[in-house]
Amino acid sequence: MEHVAGKTPGSRIRDVSIMVDGPRIQAVICPNINTIDEFMQILHEENSIQSGTITMDGGEYYAKVQDNQVAFITKKKNLYYNLPVADNIMLSTEKIPFFLSEKKIEQRCAALLKEVDYSLDVRTKVRNLSQEERTLVSILKAAALKPRLLVVDEIHGRLSYKGMSCFLRVLEMLKKQGTMILYFTSQWEDSVKIGEEVTVIAHGKTFGEYLVEDIKKNPAQIYHVMLGGERLKKDEKQEEFLQALSQGIGEIREGYDQSNMMKELAKRITKELKATHCRIYLIDEKNNSIMRISDEEGARVPFMKKEILEELNKKQEMYYFSIFENSDFLSCFEDHDNHDMETVLGIPIKSNGENVGVIQVFYRNYYVYSEKDRLYLELIGREIAMLIENSRLKGRSVLLQESHHRIKNNLQVIISLLQMEKLMLRHKLNNPDSVGEVGEMIEEIIGRIKSIATIHNILAHDPSTRNVADIEEIIGEIQKFYSQSAEVTVHTDKVFVPYNRSASLALVVNELINNSIKHARKEDLKIDIRISRGEDMIIIEYRDTGNGFPDDFDPDDQTGIGLMVIQSIVCDEFKGSVEFRNENGAYIIIKANENIFL
């Protein structure tokens, strides 16, 4: 459509150009329904144009209309009330052979209804349908033509939420078939729901073309134009405004539990956006259900019906409802007769691409949001998302601590059972030497289990979300087991061990101390452990004041489990080495690859 002007006296269309390029939905916002009516007349009748041209696929547009390549959905009645649904939908097109049986017609109609997921008895006569069902039959009648171009006179106000969903499915079906769609509306909110690009008609001419995303960011500008104004000037102080609005969020974050924090944020949003009320919903992580959380006592504000709220939340974008732009506005809410709200603005709260909540802002009177409003809600939404994520991390940390606590308790049960078995041996075995040997073996097993339990005890009491443990803390806990048998001192650089290596390290330290006590058998035994960093290595130096190693000691020719545990962990797991010496007692040097501890 190029520079078209209407022929009627006082025409509201003076210089309009509209382009639909390919199978897409081009929405056209007009200032009032009279302008839309005039467009419908121009698109139907060639003699309605004063000047300008309309072409389609490189040919003369009105010839395509005569050839049924253009279909219309208008407010005019175009149904045969005494005929059934199937006949109204399918017999409107010459593409259906005249000799087709009634059964075949019904089958084709049922297939079309199934494709758009709408339930309707194809044998029902149109006169017995509701008004919404008749509107949908008119829509399907146009769709059955499989037109090259579909022209729609705004559906706003004629369909419920369910009916609108069906209409949108019809449009998607037609787009896949290659249909271009021209959708006329007087409501900006209707255009962004349906259109992909939007042409704005103002002052009798084409004011401009916009992407839907741009209108969603700042619908107040479009609304201003539709009311007769010119373009709004860009607010240069927008950034300062947002900074001012966001002040105090940090204060709210500190010292509040989650429920009270949401209430405080809701109060702040209400104040800054000059709204009547704000409600924040959070989505339960376990069952993905929506929870109400932030209402004030006695707030006389409606709750949106759960199924509608869930459907809107899936879209992951800002949504807007007004009583003036949606005839089903009241029916979207529970207890809709008991409130006087006229506008609702909503935005999902997203964390890592997942919807974790919803912010809803209510206005008692009609309200069109601005870009500032949208940016502010997005800012608050990000803050809430971070608060929720931090809360989840804390909860997982507590759960992990509880898991370590239970593992430690289970290991303690095993230790108790082993100690009971050791006591039972005294009654079962007559040979005191055998009792001593088996009892010693059990004590060594108990020591190893205790060293593993030590790690879980540390983790159970660690309030942080770190994934490393301090070597000094690990050795300090094991040191307590042997405080009656040896004096153990520890000197260490600040070295941290990943949790997946800490149990192995604890076993190595336990075996070293246990071997010293077992073989030295001295009352004044002293043990010194030093840990330092070398070049790409962690170095553990272990000394005791015991008897040292025998002259013929060969670490590779030992049958004791203790040395086998040490060498296996250090050489295989830590990718390091162990050296055994005598220097006024046993002197052991362990070198471990530092990368293993990163």
Side-chain angles (χ1 to χ4, degrees):
M1 184 179 287
E2 295 183 355
H3 304 292
V4 169
K7 195 172 186 179
T8 59
S11 173
R12 294 177 175 82
I13 300 174
R14 296 193 287 275
D15 183 12
V16 171
S17 297
I18 301 171
M19 165 79 83
V20 185
D21 185 13
R24 68 176 187 189
I25 305 173
Q26 183 74 27
V28 181
I29 302 180
C30 301
N32 56 57
I33 57 174
N34 292 328
T35 305
I36 296 176
D37 290 341
E38 191 172 350
F39 267 117
M40 292 300 111
Q41 185 179 355
I42 286 173
L43 289 168
H44 270 97
E45 303 170 13
E46 185 175 4
N47 61 6
S48 298
I49 297 179
Q50 178 70 38
S51 61
T53 58
I54 306 177
T55 58
M56 181 172 145
D57 290 338
E60 208 277 321
Y61 165 77
Y62 291 103
K64 311 284 187 181
V65 174
Q66 294 298 320
D67 194 32
N68 279 336
Q69 292 186 46
V70 182
F72 294 87
I73 299 174
T74 67
K75 298 182 183 74
K76 292 182 179 179
K77 296 178 180 179
N78 65 342
L79 301 177
Y80 299 100
Y81 280 33
N82 288 324
L83 292 179
V85 168
D87 289 352
N88 270 278
I89 292 175
M90 306 308 297
L91 295 182
S92 62
T93 171
E94 295 177 3
K95 296 172 185 177
I96 300 292
F98 70 90
F99 54 81
L100 204 63
S101 69
E102 187 69 25
K103 184 176 180 181
K104 287 289 185 182
I105 291 172
E106 290 175 357
Q107 286 175 345
R108 291 193 178 187
C109 184
L112 178 61
L113 286 163
K114 183 178 181 181
E115 188 172 358
V116 297
D117 193 22
Y118 191 77
S119 178
L120 198 62
D121 187 345
V122 298
R123 298 185 183 87
T124 302
K125 290 188 176 181
V126 168
R127 68 166 179 264
N128 296 324
L129 299 179
S130 67
Q131 189 57 51
E132 174 171 294
E133 288 172 334
R134 291 173 187 171
T135 300
L136 285 167
V137 169
S138 294
I139 292 169
L140 291 168
K141 180 178 180 179
L145 285 167
K146 296 184 179 180
R148 180 73 177 112
L149 174 68
L150 177 67
V151 179
V152 185
D153 182 351
E154 67 178 348
I155 295 297
H156 164 78
R158 290 192 275 163
L159 295 177
S160 66
Y161 189 84
K162 179 182 177 183
M164 195 66 173
S165 298
C166 176
F167 171 62
L168 293 176
R169 288 194 292 272
V170 170
L171 296 187
E172 286 300 315
M173 177 188 73
L174 289 173
K175 277 172 55 184
K176 290 177 182 177
Q177 295 172 2
T179 299
M180 301 177 289
I181 299 162
L182 198 56
Y183 183 86
F184 289 88
T185 179
S186 60
Q187 308 293 340
W188 71 264
E189 196 252 356
D190 205 23
S191 71
V192 298
K193 280 183 183 176
I194 295 172
E196 294 168 79
E197 290 190 11
V198 178
T199 300
V200 178
I201 307 298
H203 315 295
K205 59 185 180 180
T206 302
F207 183 80
E209 290 191 355
Y210 299 82
L211 294 174
V212 166
E213 290 74 15
D214 294 336
I215 294 181
K216 287 180 179 179
K217 289 177 182 177
N218 191 13
Q221 174 171 278
I222 303 301
Y223 196 74
H224 177 74
V225 171
M226 290 170 62
L227 291 175
E230 298 296 335
R231 293 182 189 272
L232 287 172
K233 292 182 180 179
K234 187 172 178 61
D235 187 355
E236 296 178 355
K237 294 187 176 180
Q238 179 172 288
E239 194 172 320
E240 294 177 19
F241 172 80
L242 288 173
Q243 288 175 354
L245 290 180
S246 63
Q247 284 179 354
I249 292 178
E251 298 171 11
I252 293 173
R253 193 187 298 122
E254 300 296 330
Y256 284 90
D257 61 30
Q258 191 178 78
S259 178
N260 286 330
M261 193 158 42
M262 295 303 132
K263 289 178 181 178
E264 287 297 320
L265 284 170
K267 287 179 185 177
R268 181 173 290 269
I269 293 168
T270 301
K271 180 181 177 182
E272 298 294 353
L273 298 191
K274 297 180 175 58
T276 304
H277 186 71
C278 174
R279 175 180 294 128
I280 299 175
Y281 296 85
L282 295 185
I283 297 174
D284 184 76
E285 189 179 12
K286 291 181 180 178
N287 54 30
N288 201 33
S289 62
I290 294 175
M291 305 180 296
R292 301 167 183 172
I293 192 167
S294 68
D295 273 333
E296 300 171 24
E297 291 290 332
R300 190 168 168 265
V301 179
F303 287 103
M304 187 171 281
K305 289 179 179 176
K306 184 178 179 182
E307 62 272 17
I308 293 177
L309 186 61
E310 289 176 344
E311 190 66 30
L312 290 169
N313 196 43
K314 289 177 186 176
K315 295 183 178 180
Q316 298 194 354
E317 59 185 16
M318 177 175 280
Y319 57 86
Y320 172 91
F321 279 94
S322 167
I323 196 169
F324 293 108
E325 298 180 349
N326 191 323
S327 60
D328 291 312
F329 176 80
L330 294 177
S331 65
C332 293
F333 300 90
E334 300 172 6
D335 193 23
H336 54 76
D337 294 328
N338 193 32
H339 69 83
D340 54 0
M341 298 297 159
E342 293 185 350
T343 306
V344 177
L345 180 63
I347 189 168
I349 303 166
K350 290 182 278 190
S351 175
N352 297 322
E354 172 195 3
N355 281 15
V356 295
V358 184
I359 302 173
Q360 281 191 341
V361 184
F362 297 82
Y363 292 87
R364 184 164 285 113
N365 300 313
Y366 181 63
Y367 183 79
V368 179
Y369 70 90
S370 68
E371 186 175 12
K372 287 179 181 178
D373 299 338
R374 181 187 63 81
L375 289 172
Y376 178 69
L377 286 176
E378 286 183 356
L379 175 71
I380 297 294
R382 286 197 294 269
E383 288 286 342
I384 294 173
M386 284 191 288
L387 294 171
I388 292 170
E389 187 59 28
N390 288 340
S391 176
R392 286 181 176 181
L393 287 172
K394 186 176 179 181
R396 289 174 188 137
S397 176
V398 170
L399 182 61
L400 189 59
Q401 286 177 303
E402 179 62 22
S403 298
H404 286 302
H405 184 72
R406 292 184 182 185
I407 292 169
K408 182 203 72 173
N409 288 345
N410 290 341
L411 291 172
Q412 190 61 52
V413 170
I414 294 171
I415 290 169
S416 299
L417 290 171
L418 287 170
Q419 287 173 336
M420 289 173 63
E421 289 290 348
K422 181 182 174 183
L423 291 173
M424 291 295 293
L425 284 172
R426 294 179 181 177
H427 300 289
K428 292 180 179 179
L429 296 177
N430 296 321
N431 187 338
D433 293 334
S434 297
V435 172
E437 290 174 10
V438 175
E440 196 171 86
M441 290 171 57
I442 292 176
E443 277 299 328
E444 289 180 4
I445 294 171
I446 289 172
R448 291 173 187 131
I449 296 173
K450 280 183 177 180
S451 67
I452 296 172
T454 293
I455 301 303
H456 291 288
N457 188 50
I458 292 171
L459 303 188
H461 292 89
D462 186 356
S464 71
T465 56
R466 301 175 304 166
N467 61 353
V468 293
D470 191 335
I471 281 185
E472 189 173 6
E473 186 177 7
I474 293 171
I475 297 174
E477 288 297 315
I478 295 172
Q479 178 184 353
K480 294 175 184 177
F481 301 158
Y482 301 100
S483 60
Q484 301 299 317
S485 304
E487 180 184 333
V488 182
T489 57
V490 181
H491 306 276
T492 174
D493 292 344
K494 208 65 176 173
V495 178
F496 292 93
V497 186
Y499 283 162
N500 61 338
R501 307 288 184 196
S502 55
S504 299
L505 180 68
L507 276 173
V508 169
V509 173
N510 178 76
E511 293 301 331
L512 290 172
I513 297 175
N514 184 60
N515 282 341
S516 290
I517 294 170
K518 177 180 177 182
H519 295 292
R521 301 189 185 280
K522 293 175 65 175
E523 294 183 1
D524 59 346
L525 180 66
K526 294 182 180 179
I527 296 171
D528 182 76
I529 303 174
R530 295 178 182 271
I531 301 173
S532 60
R533 291 180 180 277
E535 187 175 348
D536 299 326
M537 303 295 288
I538 301 295
I539 302 169
I540 302 174
E541 296 179 87
Y542 179 92
R543 299 174 184 271
D544 69 24
T545 58
N547 301 322
F549 300 105
D551 294 337
D552 60 349
F553 175 77
D554 182 358
D556 295 325
D557 190 29
Q558 301 298 312
T559 57
I561 291 177
L563 284 180
M564 290 173 59
V565 168
I566 293 170
Q567 288 185 300
S568 174
I569 291 174
V570 173
C571 299
D572 296 337
E573 185 177 344
F574 293 172
K575 309 300 180 187
S577 61
V578 188
E579 183 180 349
F580 299 91
R581 299 182 191 171
N582 280 328
E583 287 187 10
N584 300 318
Y587 178 36
I588 302 169
I589 303 174
I590 295 174
K591 294 181 179 180
N593 190 324
E594 188 176 33
N595 292 330
I596 299 298
F597 293 87
L598 297 179

